[in-house]
Amino acid sequence: MTGGHYIFWFVFVLMVIGLYAVISHGNLVKKLIGLNLFQIGVFMFYIALGKVEDGRAPIVEEGVEVYSHPLPHVLILTAIVVGVATTSLGLALAIRIYEAYGTIEEDEVIERDKAAEQDGTAELNGTAERDGVRGGEAGP
Amino acid sequence: MLAAAVIALLVAMALTLVRAFVGPRLYNRLLAINVFGTKTVLFISVVGVLSGRPYIFDIALLYALVNFVSTIAVLRLTHLDELLPSSDEGTAR
Amino acid sequence: MSLSLLIDIASGALLLAGCLLVVSGAVGLLRLPDFYTRTHAGSLTDAAGATLLLLGLLLQADGWQSGVRLVLIMLFLLVTSPTAAHALAQAARRDGERLPAGDDEGRR
Amino acid sequence: MSLLVLMDVSLFTLLLATALAITRLRALYEATMLTALAGLLSASLFVVLDALDVAITEAAVGTGISTVLFIAALRLTRSREAVTPRRRLWSGGAVAVLLGATLLYAAQDLPPFAEPDTPVQTNPVTQTYLHESQEDIGVPNTVAAVLASYRGYDTLGELVVIFTAGVTVPLLLLRTRRRAERDEAHAGEEGAEGGTEPGTEHGTEHGREHSAEHGAEHGAEHGTEKGAEHRSARAVVMSEYRVLRVASKVLMPFILLFACYVLFHGDYGPGGGFQAGVIFAAGFVLYSLVFGIGEVERVLPWPVMLGLVPVGVLLYAGLGVANMALGGAFLDYDTLVPGHPEEGQHYGILIIETGVGITVAAVLIAVYYSFANRGARR
């Protein structure tokens, strides 16, 4: 059983590493990198399901009967491009968070939020964003 | 012979990867990644000949074309870019 | 018959030489003491090894479609790989990557 | 088979090693570069596993676009990760192990790898996609047939997702003129207090960045001087990187040509709209990296670019509506050429792929532009 499944074990380890990076790291960009790794794991899983021994790429030719399944390829092909689109969105949000809080560490962002809550929400209007940047960058 | 080429390329990939892991510093890693890209092109080409399908070479061709984009990106966005806007060091030389 | 044998031998020799260069380049990349010598090992053997390997493959390729693509791969690789290595070395020099080995203090 | 197993196992081992190295690295630029390496490895794996269309996409995305976006984002944020507290490591590890255990348990029901009699292969839909498609559609590359025809709705949905990202990222990152003016006013107010503080927080790199920023704030007073300095710095850099510039200039037309080849040859070999769009965007990104974003803007002005973002989606959906007008169902290409459904399918797929290519390329370039522009104006 293990012999026939070996590729899935690899895929699972990759997914576990990716998820670990997403959860345990506080840095938002690092989280996105972990998400990318997890994505690669999922892609591999789908493609491995479609693969068949001695098969060919699903481009029909004369005299060839065995092809890999095209459907996983279609799904993953679009998923890669969607993946880069979502990654870019995540990165854009990370940049905005950095500009607002002066950090992209999750813990520090949460701390700052808590501090802001204690100070009252009145401070958090248009000028607060700019002040946040200054405070974060010039702090020790 | 082709199988031997595949194995040689895999070995070379593994060695290059070790250099990419240990670094030290950005440039050593960049160099390793650059070399690794070439290895990937060769690997895909060998697989293409092994399986006798000409369209596999398209992928190797694409890699040969865009291989150095990421290297350039790092150079440009980390290093060159510090020189371009209102530079302090770039003009001193 | 003899021609095909000759082609096989030639392609085998080219592939072997290419493999040797590629592996030795990788070993050099790993073992050499500092960045610049590593650049030397990496980029030189890369270009030469890739060319030899692709020539060897070219002799085995069936049909002009594969042949044209292999030639194109070779040409593009010969443009991009040394360019990247050159830009890298230049940037490293500019950035103050020093010659002696094992300087780890400058890490970011 | 044994060679296949060898390639699979060794490439996967390298991939896992790369992934582990990425999680351990705290320098984010280097982690990003290793992610590019993981992309290269996964593309090799895709080739070994016969997924050529996927490999071509991953080649352009993994090494080209995605890395560039990460680096552009890192330049705007911090490039070094803080030390992760130990308790987080434990909780993260626990969840990851839990996931692994679940997956291992579920894997018992998975079909064995690469066997010909798995449910994936024996399902009737396989027959439809691989063999009946030749009569229905007549496109040798079944991936293109499935993508554009059998699962046309699905692809339209994916395209809309990409379109949404392409609208959202510029909205998040691009400054409107009014915002920029307001920020400038703030900068002026704070110039007195903020400008004197040196950016001492993190290391040399950011210190330099900050001083550059402060410099830019003061730059309003003596802008012309700065401009001259800037130009001469630029000249120095450009002359030093002449090899790079020439090589990029030589390669640029080939990349664009290759994108067109991938787009129009997608019916017969690996390729199609998604791949072509990504390659096209990679070419433009390369050009703008070497020659500056201004050069790209001269070729492809920003309004034109933003205008192209919805064009592909509209083309796609418009074709569906046209099909309905011609008496078929939404995206039923058979109606395009009355009497010759196969030809209609050909045209339909070509139009769809072109639309996809336009939107994907425009979105990715727009996203890159937003990132780069944010950096330039800081």
Side-chain angles (χ1 to χ4, degrees), chain D residues 277-311:
Chain D
V278 171
I279 297 168
F280 204 79
F284 266 88
V285 167
L286 170 66
Y287 195 77
S288 75
L289 279 174
V290 177
F291 294 94
I293 196 93
E295 286 292 307
V296 174
E297 223 179 333
R298 239 179 42 193
V299 182
L300 208 60
W302 180 234
V304 175
M305 174 64 54
L306 271 190
L308 279 177
V309 170
V311 161

PDB file of all heavy atoms in Angstrom, chain D residues 277-311:
ATOM      1  N   GLY D 277      -0.899  35.027 -20.976  1.00  0.00           N
ATOM      2  CA  GLY D 277      -0.999  36.259 -20.197  1.00  0.00           C
ATOM      3  C   GLY D 277       0.118  36.376 -19.197  1.00  0.00           C
ATOM      4  O   GLY D 277       0.732  37.440 -19.037  1.00  0.00           O
ATOM      5  N   VAL D 278       0.411  35.259 -18.545  1.00  0.00           N
ATOM      6  CA  VAL D 278       1.453  35.289 -17.521  1.00  0.00           C
ATOM      7  C   VAL D 278       2.815  35.570 -18.150  1.00  0.00           C
ATOM      8  O   VAL D 278       3.610  36.366 -17.626  1.00  0.00           O
ATOM      9  CB  VAL D 278       1.455  33.948 -16.759  1.00  0.00           C
ATOM     10  CG1 VAL D 278       2.642  33.876 -15.857  1.00  0.00           C
ATOM     11  CG2 VAL D 278       0.195  33.796 -15.963  1.00  0.00           C
ATOM     12  N   ILE D 279       3.087  34.948 -19.298  1.00  0.00           N
ATOM     13  CA  ILE D 279       4.380  35.162 -19.945  1.00  0.00           C
ATOM     14  C   ILE D 279       4.517  36.606 -20.418  1.00  0.00           C
ATOM     15  O   ILE D 279       5.554  37.252 -20.261  1.00  0.00           O
ATOM     16  CB  ILE D 279       4.554  34.179 -21.130  1.00  0.00           C
ATOM     17  CG1 ILE D 279       4.558  32.748 -20.625  1.00  0.00           C
ATOM     18  CG2 ILE D 279       5.827  34.458 -21.883  1.00  0.00           C
ATOM     19  CD1 ILE D 279       4.441  31.731 -21.707  1.00  0.00           C
ATOM     20  N   PHE D 280       3.423  37.098 -20.971  1.00  0.00           N
ATOM     21  CA  PHE D 280       3.410  38.487 -21.437  1.00  0.00           C
ATOM     22  C   PHE D 280       3.730  39.433 -20.281  1.00  0.00           C
ATOM     23  O   PHE D 280       4.578  40.324 -20.392  1.00  0.00           O
ATOM     24  CB  PHE D 280       2.022  38.774 -22.004  1.00  0.00           C
ATOM     25  CG  PHE D 280       1.994  39.886 -22.984  1.00  0.00           C
ATOM     26  CD1 PHE D 280       2.409  39.684 -24.283  1.00  0.00           C
ATOM     27  CD2 PHE D 280       1.551  41.138 -22.621  1.00  0.00           C
ATOM     28  CE1 PHE D 280       2.385  40.704 -25.191  1.00  0.00           C
ATOM     29  CE2 PHE D 280       1.522  42.171 -23.523  1.00  0.00           C
ATOM     30  CZ  PHE D 280       1.940  41.955 -24.816  1.00  0.00           C
ATOM     31  N   ALA D 281       3.051  39.178 -19.162  1.00  0.00           N
ATOM     32  CA  ALA D 281       3.289  40.023 -17.996  1.00  0.00           C
ATOM     33  C   ALA D 281       4.732  39.891 -17.525  1.00  0.00           C
ATOM     34  O   ALA D 281       5.364  40.891 -17.162  1.00  0.00           O
ATOM     35  CB  ALA D 281       2.329  39.648 -16.876  1.00  0.00           C
ATOM     36  N   ALA D 282       5.270  38.663 -17.558  1.00  0.00           N
ATOM     37  CA  ALA D 282       6.657  38.470 -17.122  1.00  0.00           C
ATOM     38  C   ALA D 282       7.599  39.272 -18.007  1.00  0.00           C
ATOM     39  O   ALA D 282       8.554  39.887 -17.517  1.00  0.00           O
ATOM     40  CB  ALA D 282       7.016  36.990 -17.153  1.00  0.00           C
ATOM     41  N   GLY D 283       7.322  39.285 -19.313  1.00  0.00           N
ATOM     42  CA  GLY D 283       8.150  40.063 -20.212  1.00  0.00           C
ATOM     43  C   GLY D 283       8.121  41.543 -19.862  1.00  0.00           C
ATOM     44  O   GLY D 283       9.166  42.196 -19.772  1.00  0.00           O
ATOM     45  N   PHE D 284       6.921  42.053 -19.613  1.00  0.00           N
ATOM     46  CA  PHE D 284       6.821  43.471 -19.279  1.00  0.00           C
ATOM     47  C   PHE D 284       7.489  43.785 -17.949  1.00  0.00           C
ATOM     48  O   PHE D 284       8.129  44.820 -17.796  1.00  0.00           O
ATOM     49  CB  PHE D 284       5.357  43.903 -19.254  1.00  0.00           C
ATOM     50  CG  PHE D 284       4.920  44.470 -20.555  1.00  0.00           C
ATOM     51  CD1 PHE D 284       4.420  43.655 -21.542  1.00  0.00           C
ATOM     52  CD2 PHE D 284       5.051  45.820 -20.801  1.00  0.00           C
ATOM     53  CE1 PHE D 284       4.048  44.168 -22.755  1.00  0.00           C
ATOM     54  CE2 PHE D 284       4.676  46.344 -22.013  1.00  0.00           C
ATOM     55  CZ  PHE D 284       4.176  45.514 -22.993  1.00  0.00           C
ATOM     56  N   VAL D 285       7.323  42.866 -17.003  1.00  0.00           N
ATOM     57  CA  VAL D 285       7.935  43.090 -15.699  1.00  0.00           C
ATOM     58  C   VAL D 285       9.455  43.129 -15.845  1.00  0.00           C
ATOM     59  O   VAL D 285      10.133  43.994 -15.273  1.00  0.00           O
ATOM     60  CB  VAL D 285       7.502  41.987 -14.710  1.00  0.00           C
ATOM     61  CG1 VAL D 285       8.365  42.017 -13.474  1.00  0.00           C
ATOM     62  CG2 VAL D 285       6.058  42.187 -14.329  1.00  0.00           C
ATOM     63  N   LEU D 286       9.993  42.216 -16.653  1.00  0.00           N
ATOM     64  CA  LEU D 286      11.439  42.216 -16.877  1.00  0.00           C
ATOM     65  C   LEU D 286      11.884  43.544 -17.467  1.00  0.00           C
ATOM     66  O   LEU D 286      12.861  44.154 -17.016  1.00  0.00           O
ATOM     67  CB  LEU D 286      11.812  41.066 -17.823  1.00  0.00           C
ATOM     68  CG  LEU D 286      13.245  41.087 -18.319  1.00  0.00           C
ATOM     69  CD1 LEU D 286      14.199  40.865 -17.162  1.00  0.00           C
ATOM     70  CD2 LEU D 286      13.474  40.035 -19.382  1.00  0.00           C
ATOM     71  N   TYR D 287      11.139  43.989 -18.456  1.00  0.00           N
ATOM     72  CA  TYR D 287      11.509  45.238 -19.116  1.00  0.00           C
ATOM     73  C   TYR D 287      11.475  46.407 -18.140  1.00  0.00           C
ATOM     74  O   TYR D 287      12.393  47.235 -18.097  1.00  0.00           O
ATOM     75  CB  TYR D 287      10.550  45.492 -20.281  1.00  0.00           C
ATOM     76  CG  TYR D 287      11.041  46.526 -21.242  1.00  0.00           C
ATOM     77  CD1 TYR D 287      12.024  46.216 -22.158  1.00  0.00           C
ATOM     78  CD2 TYR D 287      10.528  47.812 -21.241  1.00  0.00           C
ATOM     79  CE1 TYR D 287      12.484  47.153 -23.039  1.00  0.00           C
ATOM     80  CE2 TYR D 287      10.983  48.754 -22.118  1.00  0.00           C
ATOM     81  CZ  TYR D 287      11.966  48.421 -23.019  1.00  0.00           C
ATOM     82  OH  TYR D 287      12.425  49.356 -23.886  1.00  0.00           O
ATOM     83  N   SER D 288      10.424  46.444 -17.332  1.00  0.00           N
ATOM     84  CA  SER D 288      10.314  47.575 -16.407  1.00  0.00           C
ATOM     85  C   SER D 288      11.345  47.462 -15.298  1.00  0.00           C
ATOM     86  O   SER D 288      11.778  48.474 -14.749  1.00  0.00           O
ATOM     87  CB  SER D 288       8.921  47.640 -15.822  1.00  0.00           C
ATOM     88  OG  SER D 288       8.761  46.639 -14.870  1.00  0.00           O
ATOM     89  N   LEU D 289      11.763  46.244 -14.971  1.00  0.00           N
ATOM     90  CA  LEU D 289      12.799  46.101 -13.954  1.00  0.00           C
ATOM     91  C   LEU D 289      14.105  46.686 -14.439  1.00  0.00           C
ATOM     92  O   LEU D 289      14.839  47.333 -13.697  1.00  0.00           O
ATOM     93  CB  LEU D 289      13.014  44.622 -13.622  1.00  0.00           C
ATOM     94  CG  LEU D 289      12.041  43.983 -12.660  1.00  0.00           C
ATOM     95  CD1 LEU D 289      12.306  42.502 -12.570  1.00  0.00           C
ATOM     96  CD2 LEU D 289      12.159  44.613 -11.302  1.00  0.00           C
ATOM     97  N   VAL D 290      14.402  46.444 -15.712  1.00  0.00           N
ATOM     98  CA  VAL D 290      15.693  46.879 -16.215  1.00  0.00           C
ATOM     99  C   VAL D 290      15.669  48.343 -16.625  1.00  0.00           C
ATOM    100  O   VAL D 290      16.599  49.086 -16.342  1.00  0.00           O
ATOM    101  CB  VAL D 290      16.136  45.977 -17.384  1.00  0.00           C
ATOM    102  CG1 VAL D 290      17.447  46.461 -17.964  1.00  0.00           C
ATOM    103  CG2 VAL D 290      16.284  44.551 -16.911  1.00  0.00           C
ATOM    104  N   PHE D 291      14.598  48.750 -17.264  1.00  0.00           N
ATOM    105  CA  PHE D 291      14.590  50.098 -17.835  1.00  0.00           C
ATOM    106  C   PHE D 291      13.761  51.093 -17.040  1.00  0.00           C
ATOM    107  O   PHE D 291      13.675  52.248 -17.402  1.00  0.00           O
ATOM    108  CB  PHE D 291      14.071  50.050 -19.268  1.00  0.00           C
ATOM    109  CG  PHE D 291      14.972  49.301 -20.189  1.00  0.00           C
ATOM    110  CD1 PHE D 291      14.761  47.967 -20.449  1.00  0.00           C
ATOM    111  CD2 PHE D 291      16.056  49.927 -20.772  1.00  0.00           C
ATOM    112  CE1 PHE D 291      15.606  47.269 -21.278  1.00  0.00           C
ATOM    113  CE2 PHE D 291      16.898  49.231 -21.601  1.00  0.00           C
ATOM    114  CZ  PHE D 291      16.671  47.896 -21.851  1.00  0.00           C
ATOM    115  N   GLY D 292      13.116  50.630 -15.995  1.00  0.00           N
ATOM    116  CA  GLY D 292      12.301  51.546 -15.207  1.00  0.00           C
ATOM    117  C   GLY D 292      10.858  51.523 -15.663  1.00  0.00           C
ATOM    118  O   GLY D 292      10.566  51.266 -16.840  1.00  0.00           O
ATOM    119  N   ILE D 293       9.985  51.794 -14.721  1.00  0.00           N
ATOM    120  CA  ILE D 293       8.555  51.670 -14.997  1.00  0.00           C
ATOM    121  C   ILE D 293       8.094  52.728 -15.992  1.00  0.00           C
ATOM    122  O   ILE D 293       7.132  52.536 -16.728  1.00  0.00           O
ATOM    123  CB  ILE D 293       7.775  51.756 -13.675  1.00  0.00           C
ATOM    124  CG1 ILE D 293       6.342  51.260 -13.844  1.00  0.00           C
ATOM    125  CG2 ILE D 293       7.775  53.150 -13.113  1.00  0.00           C
ATOM    126  CD1 ILE D 293       6.181  49.831 -13.531  1.00  0.00           C
ATOM    127  N   GLY D 294       8.843  53.819 -16.064  1.00  0.00           N
ATOM    128  CA  GLY D 294       8.451  54.889 -16.971  1.00  0.00           C
ATOM    129  C   GLY D 294       8.477  54.460 -18.426  1.00  0.00           C
ATOM    130  O   GLY D 294       7.615  54.841 -19.214  1.00  0.00           O
ATOM    131  N   GLU D 295       9.470  53.624 -18.760  1.00  0.00           N
ATOM    132  CA  GLU D 295       9.587  53.161 -20.141  1.00  0.00           C
ATOM    133  C   GLU D 295       8.375  52.327 -20.529  1.00  0.00           C
ATOM    134  O   GLU D 295       7.845  52.438 -21.626  1.00  0.00           O
ATOM    135  CB  GLU D 295      10.855  52.322 -20.292  1.00  0.00           C
ATOM    136  CG  GLU D 295      12.122  53.133 -20.288  1.00  0.00           C
ATOM    137  CD  GLU D 295      12.234  54.002 -21.528  1.00  0.00           C
ATOM    138  OE1 GLU D 295      12.109  53.453 -22.634  1.00  0.00           O
ATOM    139  OE2 GLU D 295      12.420  55.208 -21.386  1.00  0.00           O
ATOM    140  N   VAL D 296       7.948  51.465 -19.596  1.00  0.00           N
ATOM    141  CA  VAL D 296       6.781  50.635 -19.881  1.00  0.00           C
ATOM    142  C   VAL D 296       5.549  51.503 -20.026  1.00  0.00           C
ATOM    143  O   VAL D 296       4.702  51.277 -20.882  1.00  0.00           O
ATOM    144  CB  VAL D 296       6.583  49.596 -18.764  1.00  0.00           C
ATOM    145  CG1 VAL D 296       5.303  48.826 -18.969  1.00  0.00           C
ATOM    146  CG2 VAL D 296       7.754  48.655 -18.737  1.00  0.00           C
ATOM    147  N   GLU D 297       5.506  52.528 -19.187  1.00  0.00           N
ATOM    148  CA  GLU D 297       4.334  53.392 -19.233  1.00  0.00           C
ATOM    149  C   GLU D 297       4.255  54.142 -20.557  1.00  0.00           C
ATOM    150  O   GLU D 297       3.172  54.503 -21.002  1.00  0.00           O
ATOM    151  CB  GLU D 297       4.389  54.381 -18.070  1.00  0.00           C
ATOM    152  CG  GLU D 297       3.039  54.542 -17.411  1.00  0.00           C
ATOM    153  CD  GLU D 297       3.116  55.494 -16.255  1.00  0.00           C
ATOM    154  OE1 GLU D 297       4.194  55.635 -15.649  1.00  0.00           O
ATOM    155  OE2 GLU D 297       2.103  56.116 -15.971  1.00  0.00           O
ATOM    156  N   ARG D 298       5.425  54.349 -21.154  1.00  0.00           N
ATOM    157  CA  ARG D 298       5.408  55.018 -22.445  1.00  0.00           C
ATOM    158  C   ARG D 298       4.788  54.124 -23.512  1.00  0.00           C
ATOM    159  O   ARG D 298       4.103  54.587 -24.417  1.00  0.00           O
ATOM    160  CB  ARG D 298       6.833  55.401 -22.849  1.00  0.00           C
ATOM    161  CG  ARG D 298       6.984  56.873 -23.070  1.00  0.00           C
ATOM    162  CD  ARG D 298       8.386  57.230 -23.434  1.00  0.00           C
ATOM    163  NE  ARG D 298       8.987  56.302 -24.382  1.00  0.00           N
ATOM    164  CZ  ARG D 298      10.276  56.270 -24.666  1.00  0.00           C
ATOM    165  NH1 ARG D 298      11.079  57.107 -24.072  1.00  0.00           N
ATOM    166  NH2 ARG D 298      10.758  55.412 -25.523  1.00  0.00           N
ATOM    167  N   VAL D 299       5.075  52.819 -23.412  1.00  0.00           N
ATOM    168  CA  VAL D 299       4.516  51.885 -24.389  1.00  0.00           C
ATOM    169  C   VAL D 299       3.046  51.629 -24.092  1.00  0.00           C
ATOM    170  O   VAL D 299       2.206  51.571 -24.986  1.00  0.00           O
ATOM    171  CB  VAL D 299       5.290  50.555 -24.341  1.00  0.00           C
ATOM    172  CG1 VAL D 299       4.754  49.588 -25.374  1.00  0.00           C
ATOM    173  CG2 VAL D 299       6.758  50.797 -24.542  1.00  0.00           C
ATOM    174  N   LEU D 300       2.761  51.442 -22.811  1.00  0.00           N
ATOM    175  CA  LEU D 300       1.438  50.996 -22.398  1.00  0.00           C
ATOM    176  C   LEU D 300       0.975  51.929 -21.285  1.00  0.00           C
ATOM    177  O   LEU D 300       1.198  51.661 -20.127  1.00  0.00           O
ATOM    178  CB  LEU D 300       1.558  49.560 -21.882  1.00  0.00           C
ATOM    179  CG  LEU D 300       0.382  48.626 -21.984  1.00  0.00           C
ATOM    180  CD1 LEU D 300      -0.008  48.466 -23.434  1.00  0.00           C
ATOM    181  CD2 LEU D 300       0.763  47.279 -21.425  1.00  0.00           C
ATOM    182  N   PRO D 301       0.368  53.061 -21.652  1.00  0.00           N
ATOM    183  CA  PRO D 301       0.012  54.043 -20.625  1.00  0.00           C
ATOM    184  C   PRO D 301      -0.937  53.442 -19.594  1.00  0.00           C
ATOM    185  O   PRO D 301      -1.693  52.518 -19.882  1.00  0.00           O
ATOM    186  CB  PRO D 301      -0.680  55.157 -21.415  1.00  0.00           C
ATOM    187  CG  PRO D 301      -0.281  54.953 -22.813  1.00  0.00           C
ATOM    188  CD  PRO D 301      -0.024  53.506 -22.982  1.00  0.00           C
ATOM    189  N   TRP D 302      -0.851  53.997 -18.414  1.00  0.00           N
ATOM    190  CA  TRP D 302      -1.584  53.453 -17.281  1.00  0.00           C
ATOM    191  C   TRP D 302      -3.091  53.372 -17.539  1.00  0.00           C
ATOM    192  O   TRP D 302      -3.699  52.326 -17.257  1.00  0.00           O
ATOM    193  CB  TRP D 302      -1.251  54.295 -16.055  1.00  0.00           C
ATOM    194  CG  TRP D 302      -1.903  53.879 -14.802  1.00  0.00           C
ATOM    195  CD1 TRP D 302      -2.640  54.662 -13.986  1.00  0.00           C
ATOM    196  CD2 TRP D 302      -1.859  52.593 -14.195  1.00  0.00           C
ATOM    197  NE1 TRP D 302      -3.071  53.930 -12.924  1.00  0.00           N
ATOM    198  CE2 TRP D 302      -2.618  52.661 -13.031  1.00  0.00           C
ATOM    199  CE3 TRP D 302      -1.284  51.380 -14.553  1.00  0.00           C
ATOM    200  CZ2 TRP D 302      -2.810  51.579 -12.193  1.00  0.00           C
ATOM    201  CZ3 TRP D 302      -1.465  50.295 -13.729  1.00  0.00           C
ATOM    202  CH2 TRP D 302      -2.222  50.400 -12.561  1.00  0.00           C
ATOM    203  N   PRO D 303      -3.741  54.414 -18.079  1.00  0.00           N
ATOM    204  CA  PRO D 303      -5.184  54.292 -18.341  1.00  0.00           C
ATOM    205  C   PRO D 303      -5.503  53.153 -19.302  1.00  0.00           C
ATOM    206  O   PRO D 303      -6.493  52.437 -19.109  1.00  0.00           O
ATOM    207  CB  PRO D 303      -5.552  55.646 -18.952  1.00  0.00           C
ATOM    208  CG  PRO D 303      -4.471  56.565 -18.579  1.00  0.00           C
ATOM    209  CD  PRO D 303      -3.249  55.756 -18.417  1.00  0.00           C
ATOM    210  N   VAL D 304      -4.649  52.990 -20.321  1.00  0.00           N
ATOM    211  CA  VAL D 304      -4.877  51.904 -21.272  1.00  0.00           C
ATOM    212  C   VAL D 304      -4.811  50.564 -20.547  1.00  0.00           C
ATOM    213  O   VAL D 304      -5.649  49.671 -20.736  1.00  0.00           O
ATOM    214  CB  VAL D 304      -3.836  51.953 -22.403  1.00  0.00           C
ATOM    215  CG1 VAL D 304      -3.989  50.763 -23.323  1.00  0.00           C
ATOM    216  CG2 VAL D 304      -3.955  53.242 -23.168  1.00  0.00           C
ATOM    217  N   MET D 305      -3.808  50.453 -19.685  1.00  0.00           N
ATOM    218  CA  MET D 305      -3.635  49.222 -18.936  1.00  0.00           C
ATOM    219  C   MET D 305      -4.861  48.920 -18.075  1.00  0.00           C
ATOM    220  O   MET D 305      -5.410  47.831 -18.100  1.00  0.00           O
ATOM    221  CB  MET D 305      -2.386  49.379 -18.060  1.00  0.00           C
ATOM    222  CG  MET D 305      -2.123  48.269 -17.111  1.00  0.00           C
ATOM    223  SD  MET D 305      -1.808  46.809 -18.004  1.00  0.00           S
ATOM    224  CE  MET D 305      -0.532  47.403 -19.015  1.00  0.00           C
ATOM    225  N   LEU D 306      -5.300  49.927 -17.322  1.00  0.00           N
ATOM    226  CA  LEU D 306      -6.477  49.721 -16.482  1.00  0.00           C
ATOM    227  C   LEU D 306      -7.698  49.434 -17.343  1.00  0.00           C
ATOM    228  O   LEU D 306      -8.557  48.647 -16.967  1.00  0.00           O
ATOM    229  CB  LEU D 306      -6.736  50.960 -15.625  1.00  0.00           C
ATOM    230  CG  LEU D 306      -6.042  50.993 -14.266  1.00  0.00           C
ATOM    231  CD1 LEU D 306      -6.579  52.145 -13.451  1.00  0.00           C
ATOM    232  CD2 LEU D 306      -6.229  49.696 -13.520  1.00  0.00           C
ATOM    233  N   GLY D 307      -7.732  50.054 -18.504  1.00  0.00           N
ATOM    234  CA  GLY D 307      -8.852  49.794 -19.390  1.00  0.00           C
ATOM    235  C   GLY D 307      -8.854  48.372 -19.903  1.00  0.00           C
ATOM    236  O   GLY D 307      -9.910  47.782 -20.133  1.00  0.00           O
ATOM    237  N   LEU D 308      -7.659  47.795 -20.078  1.00  0.00           N
ATOM    238  CA  LEU D 308      -7.578  46.437 -20.616  1.00  0.00           C
ATOM    239  C   LEU D 308      -8.000  45.399 -19.584  1.00  0.00           C
ATOM    240  O   LEU D 308      -8.340  44.283 -19.944  1.00  0.00           O
ATOM    241  CB  LEU D 308      -6.147  46.141 -21.068  1.00  0.00           C
ATOM    242  CG  LEU D 308      -5.749  46.677 -22.431  1.00  0.00           C
ATOM    243  CD1 LEU D 308      -4.294  46.380 -22.710  1.00  0.00           C
ATOM    244  CD2 LEU D 308      -6.615  46.076 -23.514  1.00  0.00           C
ATOM    245  N   VAL D 309      -7.944  45.759 -18.300  1.00  0.00           N
ATOM    246  CA  VAL D 309      -8.268  44.761 -17.271  1.00  0.00           C
ATOM    247  C   VAL D 309      -9.660  44.158 -17.482  1.00  0.00           C
ATOM    248  O   VAL D 309      -9.801  42.945 -17.501  1.00  0.00           O
ATOM    249  CB  VAL D 309      -8.101  45.368 -15.861  1.00  0.00           C
ATOM    250  CG1 VAL D 309      -8.661  44.462 -14.804  1.00  0.00           C
ATOM    251  CG2 VAL D 309      -6.640  45.636 -15.591  1.00  0.00           C
ATOM    252  N   PRO D 310     -10.701  44.996 -17.656  1.00  0.00           N
ATOM    253  CA  PRO D 310     -12.016  44.369 -17.860  1.00  0.00           C
ATOM    254  C   PRO D 310     -12.276  43.889 -19.283  1.00  0.00           C
ATOM    255  O   PRO D 310     -13.239  43.162 -19.488  1.00  0.00           O
ATOM    256  CB  PRO D 310     -12.996  45.490 -17.484  1.00  0.00           C
ATOM    257  CG  PRO D 310     -12.261  46.725 -17.743  1.00  0.00           C
ATOM    258  CD  PRO D 310     -10.827  46.445 -17.511  1.00  0.00           C
ATOM    259  N   VAL D 311     -11.425  44.289 -20.245  1.00  0.00           N
ATOM    260  CA  VAL D 311     -11.726  43.953 -21.638  1.00  0.00           C
ATOM    261  C   VAL D 311     -11.842  42.447 -21.833  1.00  0.00           C
ATOM    262  O   VAL D 311     -12.779  41.955 -22.471  1.00  0.00           O
ATOM    263  CB  VAL D 311     -10.645  44.545 -22.579  1.00  0.00           C
ATOM    264  CG1 VAL D 311     -10.665  43.848 -23.922  1.00  0.00           C
ATOM    265  CG2 VAL D 311     -10.862  46.017 -22.767  1.00  0.00           C
TER     266      VAL D 311
END
